[in-house]
Amino acid sequence: MDIWQILMTPFSWLLKLFCEVFNSYGIALFLFTIVVKIVLFPAQLKAKKSMIKQTVLNGQIQEIQKRCGNDKERYNQELQKFYAENNVNPMGGCGWQLIPIAVLYPLYAIIRRPLKYMMWLTEDAVKAVANALNWTSVQGSEFVIGGYNELMLGSMMNAGNLEAAKSAAAATGVSAASMFVINFNFFGIDLSQVPQLKFWEGGVTWNSVGLFLLPLISAGLSLLSMIVSQKTNQMNKDQQMKMNFSMLLMGPLISLWIGFAMPAGLCVYWIANSLLMMVQEVICGKMLRKDYEAAQREMEEQQKKAKEAEKERRRKSAEKKAAAIAAGKGNKKVQPQSKHKGVDLSASREGLRAYARGRAYDPNRCPVTPYHDPNGPAKSVEEEPQELTEEEKEILTQTNPELAAQAEAAQKAAPADLPADSGEDGEGYEEAYAEDEEQ
């Protein structure tokens, strides 16, 4: 017995038990899936609770991201510290979705090699059974270990040749007591065969059509189970991020690929898994309803605090700017712009000469944005526009009307630059510019 046989013993023993009791491979796979779901249900319920907690903490994680900016190292350190303080596993809510796929590997091995994992035969014993059942004459080729040959050999065993198969296996020195007949017939479909896309080749029968439909049913139920999961979470007010379209299709595409690439027994497992997953989601939704509602209230409270914090930040920014304007720092009026789009007439002025650089001089033709380190100190008030926006005026009017009035008075009293069309050293410029445009 190798290490894989030891690891797969629980799975193979359970599947063999159901096969012998119910004499149906399909029913055995359904019951096998039910037992796996029941055993893993507590872990999956815990994982969903972890997912709810992770969703609630997403708002605080975003705050950490804003605070760290582009400093990835600092962000990762603070994020790990945050997870440790709140006892959260970031992957806790995703792992349970991978469990059905993880169970596929041992189940696939058992389905592919039933004589090894369910009947405990060695390779020599399997070859001896193949010779006893006239494999070469039936299949037209010599029996080799690999592919789905052992599965097909298991489907060739019946009540009439079972004793001959046992005798052949016992002759190799192994015990044949564990050998039994596997009934692969499930509603007229042979679950030992691999579904084919071209099901009409070799004649259209219910077996060929049924094999073709199994992967389609499997993919459809997989998609439906994911939709039910989303709807259940919405019903319970779970505000976690919705699955994008590619994630929604991943499960159905995997089940479709498995359906047409492997024996039909795996389709039955996937169908059972999807049906039970929908039942599980409804049960979890009811059991975790209070957790969902508490999470919703906490998230709403976080959003409220975030809005209040943003409002306070804007208020302080407006007061700081207004105080600078009232103190006379950077409160120079903005130079009026020309009515001609794209031309800043004030930029052509140099010293006392109004148009020393030419009438069409445009410093913004190739603008360069000055670099500002997002992780560095905040811009000084002098670097910011020193004219209050309408939003800032409204905030100050509500919170500090006296400071708003002082800033407005300071702006009105500030001296303005010479207007572009004032007439000094440039009288009649607008008319000349218009003539140039016409030419």
Side-chain angles (χ1 to χ4, degrees), residues 82-159:
F82 175 78
Y83 283 145
E85 291 175 350
N86 290 274
N87 193 25
V88 175
N89 180 8
M91 298 300 294
C94 303
W96 67 275
Q97 298 182 5
L98 302 178
I99 291 177
I101 299 178
V103 175
L104 274 178
Y105 177 76
L107 184 61
Y108 169 67
I110 295 169
I111 289 176
R112 189 172 69 90
R113 302 196 63 183
L115 274 68
K116 176 181 180 180
Y117 293 110
M118 294 176 65
M119 304 180 192
W120 313 105
L121 299 185
T122 62
E123 291 189 1
D124 291 336
V126 172
K127 291 179 180 179
V129 171
N131 292 330
L133 299 183
N134 299 319
W135 171 274
T136 303
S137 60
V138 174
Q139 301 295 334
S141 61
E142 185 179 354
F143 180 84
V144 292
I145 301 294
Y148 301 116
N149 287 347
E150 194 171 318
L151 178 63
M152 294 176 64
L153 181 62
S155 66
M156 292 171 59
M157 292 174 55
N158 53 52

Side-chain angles (χ1 to χ4, degrees), residues 392-417:
E392 291 171 335
K393 290 179 182 178
E394 183 178 352
I395 293 174
L396 285 174
T397 302
Q398 296 174 356
T399 60
N400 198 336
E402 183 179 352
L403 182 59
Q406 291 176 4
E408 186 176 358
Q411 279 188 327
K412 290 181 179 179
D417 278 352

Side-chain angles (χ1 to χ4, degrees), residues 342-357:
V343 180
D344 181 8
L345 301 181
S346 65
S348 64
R349 183 185 183 92
E350 185 174 354
L352 297 178
R353 303 175 62 191
Y355 306 108
R357 295 188 181 93

Side-chain angles (χ1 to χ4, degrees), residues 313-383:
R313 186 194 65 79
R314 292 183 180 181
R315 183 190 66 79
K316 290 182 178 180
S317 177
E319 286 185 353
K320 188 176 180 181
K321 185 184 292 186
I325 294 174
K329 297 180 181 179
N331 57 354
K332 192 175 183 181
K333 283 188 178 180
V334 179
Q335 175 69 18
Q337 298 294 317
S338 167
K339 66 182 180 180
H340 298 285
K341 184 178 180 181
V343 180
D344 181 8
L345 301 181
S346 65
S348 64
R349 183 185 183 92
E350 185 174 354
L352 297 178
R353 303 175 62 191
Y355 306 108
R357 295 188 181 93
R359 296 173 176 177
Y361 175 74
D362 183 6
N364 297 318
R365 184 168 298 165
C366 298
V368 178
T369 303
Y371 173 77
H372 175 72
D373 185 2
N375 300 316
K379 291 184 179 180
S380 63
V381 176
E382 289 76 13
E383 291 177 315

Side-chain angles (χ1 to χ4, degrees), residues 153-181:
L153 181 62
S155 66
M156 292 171 59
M157 292 174 55
N158 53 52
N161 57 25
L162 179 61
E163 291 302 322
K166 285 184 175 183
S167 300
T172 63
V174 300
S175 174
S178 59
M179 294 181 65
F180 67 102
V181 175

